[in-house]
Amino acid sequence: MPDCRPPLASPSRPSHALPPGACDAHCHVFGPAAVFPYAEGRSYTPPDAPYEAMAALHARLGVERAVLVQANCHGADHGALLDALARSGGRYRGVALLGAHATGEEVARLHAAGVRAARFNFVPHLGGAPDPAVFDHVVKLIAPLGWHLCLHLDGAMLPGLLPRLTALPLPFVIDHMGRLKAADGLASPAMRAMLALAEVPQAWVKVSGIDRIASGRRPYAEGLPFVRALAEALPDRCLWGTDWPHPNVAGDMPDDGELVDLLFQACPDAALRRRILVDNPARLYGFEPPRER
């Protein structure tokens, strides 16, 4: 049985129109379990959130492209993700979960399907920091293909990890603004560490998960200064995503239309929004130039 809540059945339509080629750079597909079973030993069991539901959400929001992140609940079986990539007609890219048994042949197959990154979870509720030997093994496999790493971590971990990250032969992306806590303020050590990534050329940040850094109560206004500060610090290395279908949310279930409008509040400059929504993900994930409407 599912042990986390489903996304809103009818999210609002955004008040603002996204630009052509806008990308949701962090979302997931779950199941359906009858076709793509969840992994044994998983840390959570979500309700099904299949490709059809995700595609319908993106159409409602005006999102044309997306990056699907392999979820912990599916483990190393990328069946659901690969099915969604194939059905997207090239509009979606993927982020894999790879471990000690990953091979060059597997990575080549994933690359051909549209996967462009591997993700590591450092947060305790998803198993904690990876084995350094496994981390190095995956980096060695993916670097020749031009992939990058997506890192799910607590911003307080960043200073300790940064020497290793800056030595990597590939870019890395910090998911969900490093799970900052808005209550700690813009001057917190974790936020200072995130802003210092502006001086690290291979570092990128996703301004996703505003609900996770805020109090958990919509409309998450206390998260806006953090999105704004990170977008202004890393304008050419910043990405945005919904985090749909919002697994393991503790507070209010996010309304994805409101999340779009929050980005417009945080980034009122249209040129900056275009970089975050269109240009930056196109460069990192290899999307074709968008068709003008």
Side-chain angles (χ1 to χ4, degrees):
M1 293 292 292
D3 54 21
C4 52
R5 292 175 292 156
L8 295 183
S10 298
S12 64
R13 291 188 184 276
S15 301
H16 301 87
L18 292 173
C23 180
D24 177 353
H26 194 105
C27 51
H28 310 278
V29 285
F30 295 151
V35 181
F36 303 110
Y38 299 119
E40 294 293 331
R42 59 192 175 274
S43 59
Y44 65 93
T45 302
D48 288 345
Y51 169 82
E52 294 85 354
M54 182 182 59
L57 173 78
H58 286 156
R60 187 173 184 84
L61 300 182
V63 166
E64 295 183 5
R65 296 165 171 175
V67 179
L68 310 186
V69 178
Q70 174 75 353
N72 175 271
C73 60
H74 276 298
D77 183 347
H78 294 86
L81 182 142
L82 292 174
D83 174 73
L85 293 181
R87 296 170 68 181
S88 77
R91 295 183 302 110
Y92 293 170
R93 297 288 188 266
V95 176
L97 287 181
L98 300 174
H101 301 294
T103 66
E105 293 77 10
E106 178 188 6
V107 170
R109 288 194 298 272
L110 291 170
H111 184 85
V115 176
R116 294 295 181 267
R119 191 187 201 208
F120 282 102
N121 287 298
F122 287 78
V123 292
H125 74 276
L126 293 176
D131 182 321
V134 173
F135 187 90
D136 291 343
H137 169 66
V138 170
V139 168
K140 185 176 179 180
L141 288 176
I142 69 174
L145 292 175
W147 288 21
H148 59 274
L149 291 176
C150 289
L151 305 176
H152 188 199
L153 50 79
D154 184 322
M157 303 173 181
L158 192 56
L161 289 172
L162 205 53
R164 186 171 192 186
L165 298 179
T166 55
L168 290 171
L170 74 181
F172 62 91
V173 181
I174 306 298
D175 289 347
H176 302 330
M177 296 182 274
R179 297 181 70 96
L180 297 162
K181 294 180 176 62
D184 292 341
L186 289 169
S188 71
M191 182 58 175
R192 290 201 303 270
M194 292 293 293
L195 291 172
L197 294 176
E199 305 304 319
V200 181
Q202 67 269 46
W204 294 62
V205 172
K206 287 180 192 168
V207 288
S208 55
I210 189 171
D211 58 295
R212 298 183 186 277
I213 77 165
S215 65
R217 301 300 175 193
R218 290 163 54 193
Y220 317 124
E222 63 270 42
L224 288 172
F226 295 82
V227 175
R228 184 177 301 115
L230 289 167
E232 292 175 352
L234 294 96
D236 294 313
R237 290 177 279 125
C238 196
L239 308 164
W240 172 85
T242 60
D243 194 27
W244 186 90
H246 312 290
N248 300 308
V249 166
D252 293 341
M253 182 56 62
D255 180 316
D256 295 281
E258 291 178 358
L259 295 182
V260 171
D261 289 336
L262 283 171
L263 180 65
F264 278 73
Q265 291 183 50
C267 302
D269 180 76
L272 177 57
R273 285 199 309 274
R274 181 183 170 86
R275 288 153 91 175
I276 294 169
L277 290 166
V278 183
D279 299 337
N280 295 348
R283 190 168 80 254
L284 188 62
Y285 288 96
F287 289 115
E288 295 294 325
R291 297 185 301 273
E292 292 299 326
R293 291 173 185 159

